[in-house]
Amino acid sequence: MSRAVFPGTFDPPTNGHLDVIARASAAFTEVIVGAGVNPSKQRMFDGDERVAMLTEIAAPYPNVTVVPFEGLLVDFCRAVDAQVIVKGLRSGSDYDYELRMAQMNRQLTGVDTLFMPTAPEHGYVSSSLVKEIAKLGGPVDAFLPPSVHTRLIARL
């Protein structure tokens, strides 16, 4: 079909992120996972660590590459010649927030956004919530790919 970007902070990447990667991989000729830097978020893992984790979990999908980026998403899309942005949506509040961003991105560059509803089993999972539970000693292995879980536990 075309080249798509799946952007995020991915700190850490969850099974929900992996689900979107797998589904986008089936829908597009090429998927670039953009491991971004969001200055408003405090990260547990640095950029190289997040890229390494994403590269490892995306390895089964030969049409997926992981690329770090900073700055505006639309500039990144232009730089990698992506025609579509893929966003996973967990809830209506995600939609409300992401719709405004999608409309702005389209206005700025003409890049469209495809919203993928999250699989029900991942709908309540967020990286922030997973980190909070893990920091308090709770079990988070069901929400993370095994290699990511190992890195998270080692970090704590």
Side-chain angles (χ1 to χ4, degrees), residues 2 15 18 22 44 98 103-104 106-107 113 120 124 135:
S2 62
N15 287 334
L18 183 56
M44 179 177 283
E98 295 293 349
Q103 291 168 330
M104 181 61 77
R106 188 163 196 285
Q107 180 66 31
T113 300
Y124 57 91
K135 286 177 184 176

Side-chain angles (χ1 to χ4, degrees), residues 29-78:
T29 306
E30 184 179 357
V31 176
I32 299 168
V33 177
V37 175
N38 184 339
S40 67
K41 291 185 177 181
Q42 187 160 357
R43 292 173 303 282
M44 179 177 283
F45 296 98
D46 68 28
D48 291 340
E49 292 171 312
R50 291 180 291 119
V51 167
M53 286 187 281
L54 287 161
T55 300
E56 185 174 337
I57 67 173
Y61 309 99
N63 63 331
V64 174
T65 56
V66 180
V67 178
F69 81 96
E70 290 188 48
L72 289 176
L73 175 57
V74 291
D75 291 340
F76 178 67
C77 288
R78 199 173 310 149

Side-chain angles (χ1 to χ4, degrees), residues 19 47 52 57 61 67-68 71 84 90 103 110-111 115 119 122 127 130 152:
D19 178 60
I57 67 173
Y61 309 99
V67 178
V84 178
R90 295 171 296 196
Q103 291 168 330
V111 174
F115 295 128
H122 305 301
S127 295
V130 167
L152 176 63

